[in-house]
Amino acid sequence: MVTFTKFGSCVTTDLFNFLNMSKYYPQYVYTGINIDTALSQADISVPEECIVAESGFWIKMQKYCFHHEPFDNLIKNLQSDFFIFDLCDERLPLQNWGGGTLVPVTWETYRTSLQLRKKQVNIDIEDWHLANRNKELYEKSIRNFMQSIKKCYDPMHIIYISMRQADYALDRSRMKIIPIDECPKKGLSDLQRRKKENAVIDFAESIMKEEMPDIWYINTPDNLIADTGHHFTLHPLHFHYFVYEYLADCVEEIADFNANKLCSRQKVQLSMDIKKHWLQMKLDTLASNES
């Protein structure tokens, strides 16, 4: 079995649903967490009854945000074959909880904050901002995060997935591709907000590429399409299944290369680039047939 430590958005988790998990297993999963949240130690006493979440997984992730050791210490204790990540959760705003802990603003943490206020729990919650408000400090955080990864994984065992939020979605009720802003869904960022959020991801990725130019890169086309039929409902990062099939194929190809080395790394990267081209063609065809 090939094991993975996964850090990033739900996309990097969902792709494993398209892999044989008896062979490729995400052993450690961290989703809905910013780099700034992970880097520093956190120790906030949030009463269990105040944590609002839609699943046990999101209870676990919130508890991590409220109480964890620094990422540099954490990653040393994670024993997996690969570190796989994306930077899309850098789009999440941050709030200062308890006078120093930066907590990502998700639907879960937002509702938990409301519950804390309702129960009059004495935790100051303030300072809502995007991660790149101070670019100099943010760049330092990104570099520190990447340095921690490089201490524990060599470049051949680090996989980065590059993507941005979709602006269009397949509306399965009408079987049409429409702007995602025409699909009403509470809590979704509008187009202008997504541009700001994607700019944060752009900046983080540019620094990451300077720090780790030799890792595996799985690139995605610009025409990504969300899907109202996604099992976690509509979101700009809940893609059509074509995307997950592509990502899963690439992860499998990388893992198999590291195990067998039957061809050159350049050939594997070329193969993934060809797969990306075919994904773009399939998404273009989907849009032209159903719009």
Side-chain angles (χ1 to χ4, degrees), residues 1-7 12-13 15-16 19-30 78-85 153 156-161 216 218 247-248 250-256 258:
M1 178 186 291
V2 182
T3 58
F4 297 79
T5 292
K6 178 266 169 191
F7 196 102
T12 307
T13 301
L15 75 86
F16 283 92
L19 285 166
N20 182 346
M21 286 205 200
S22 66
K23 293 180 63 177
Y24 310 98
Y25 186 69
Q27 189 163 330
Y28 308 101
V29 177
Y30 300 91
L78 303 180
Q79 297 182 349
S80 62
D81 299 309
F82 285 88
F83 188 92
I84 183 169
F85 72 113
Y153 295 87
M156 297 295 285
H157 290 85
I158 303 172
I159 303 171
Y160 175 70
I161 300 174
W216 291 102
I218 302 177
L247 295 175
C250 290
V251 169
E252 184 172 353
E253 191 162 2
I254 291 169
D256 289 353
N258 277 270

Side-chain angles (χ1 to χ4, degrees), residues 5 11 23 52 61 76 109 115 136 204 264 269 286:
T5 292
V11 179
K23 293 180 63 177
V52 182
M61 289 300 98
K76 292 174 184 176
T109 59
Q115 189 70 2
E136 184 177 343
S264 68
Q269 190 64 58
L286 182 70

Side-chain angles (χ1 to χ4, degrees), residues 1-257:
M1 178 186 291
V2 182
T3 58
F4 297 79
T5 292
K6 178 266 169 191
F7 196 102
S9 73
C10 55
V11 179
T12 307
T13 301
D14 284 342
L15 75 86
F16 283 92
N17 294 324
F18 292 78
L19 285 166
N20 182 346
M21 286 205 200
S22 66
K23 293 180 63 177
Y24 310 98
Y25 186 69
Q27 189 163 330
Y28 308 101
V29 177
Y30 300 91
T31 292
I33 300 164
N34 300 69
I35 287 174
D36 276 328
T37 300
L39 283 180
S40 301
Q41 183 171 332
D43 190 10
I44 306 173
S45 297
V46 178
E48 187 90 21
E49 63 271 18
C50 291
I51 297 178
V52 182
E54 296 179 357
S55 68
F57 176 79
W58 285 112
I59 292 175
K60 175 185 173 183
M61 289 300 98
Q62 284 192 78
K63 286 183 175 179
Y64 173 87
C65 292
F66 304 145
H67 183 85
H68 64 263
E69 59 185 323
F71 182 74
D72 193 58
N73 293 343
L74 171 72
I75 195 170
K76 292 174 184 176
N77 297 321
L78 303 180
Q79 297 182 349
S80 62
D81 299 309
F82 285 88
F83 188 92
I84 183 169
F85 72 113
D86 66 74
L87 292 170
C88 286
D89 278 346
E90 293 305 292
R91 79 191 190 282
L92 296 171
L94 291 163
Q95 276 185 317
N96 189 330
W97 287 43
T101 299
L102 292 175
V103 174
V105 180
T106 65
W107 182 225
E108 283 77 16
T109 59
Y110 171 70
R111 288 181 296 164
T112 295
S113 71
L114 295 180
Q115 189 70 2
L116 289 168
R117 292 189 179 102
K118 180 179 178 181
K119 297 286 188 180
Q120 297 183 329
V121 177
N122 188 25
I123 298 176
D124 290 332
I125 301 174
E126 56 185 16
D127 195 25
W128 183 311
H129 65 274
L130 291 174
N132 66 343
R133 179 175 60 181
N134 184 320
K135 279 190 163 56
E136 184 177 343
L137 289 177
Y138 186 47
E139 177 179 340
K140 183 178 179 180
S141 294
I142 298 164
R143 294 190 188 279
N144 288 340
F145 183 77
M146 302 307 162
Q147 289 294 333
S148 294
I149 298 170
K150 290 193 293 184
K151 288 177 186 176
C152 299
Y153 295 87
D154 67 76
M156 297 295 285
H157 290 85
I158 303 172
I159 303 171
Y160 175 70
I161 300 174
S162 176
M163 62 195 153
R164 300 296 183 269
Q165 300 177 89
D167 290 324
Y168 291 86
L170 172 61
D171 180 357
R172 289 191 177 269
S173 66
R174 292 181 285 170
M175 291 307 295
K176 293 186 64 175
I177 302 294
I178 63 174
I180 202 166
D181 289 346
E182 294 181 14
C183 302
K185 174 71 167 61
K186 185 177 180 181
L188 290 190
S189 299
D190 62 19
L191 178 60
Q192 293 306 312
R193 181 72 178 186
R194 287 198 303 277
K195 287 181 178 180
K196 293 179 181 178
E197 293 170 347
N198 283 337
V200 180
I201 302 169
D202 291 342
F203 180 75
E205 186 174 294
S206 69
I207 304 303
M208 183 275 298
K209 286 182 175 179
E210 291 179 11
E211 285 289 327
M212 299 198 295
D214 299 326
I215 65 173
W216 291 102
Y217 285 91
I218 302 177
N219 298 306
T220 57
D222 294 332
N223 63 334
L224 295 175
I225 295 174
D227 193 335
T228 61
H230 189 282
H231 61 285
F232 286 136
T233 73
L234 178 68
H235 188 277
L237 290 171
H238 291 169
F239 299 132
H240 189 277
Y241 71 88
F242 286 165
V243 179
Y244 301 113
E245 288 180 338
Y246 159 72
L247 295 175
D249 284 348
C250 290
V251 169
E252 184 172 353
E253 191 162 2
I254 291 169
D256 289 353
F257 168 80

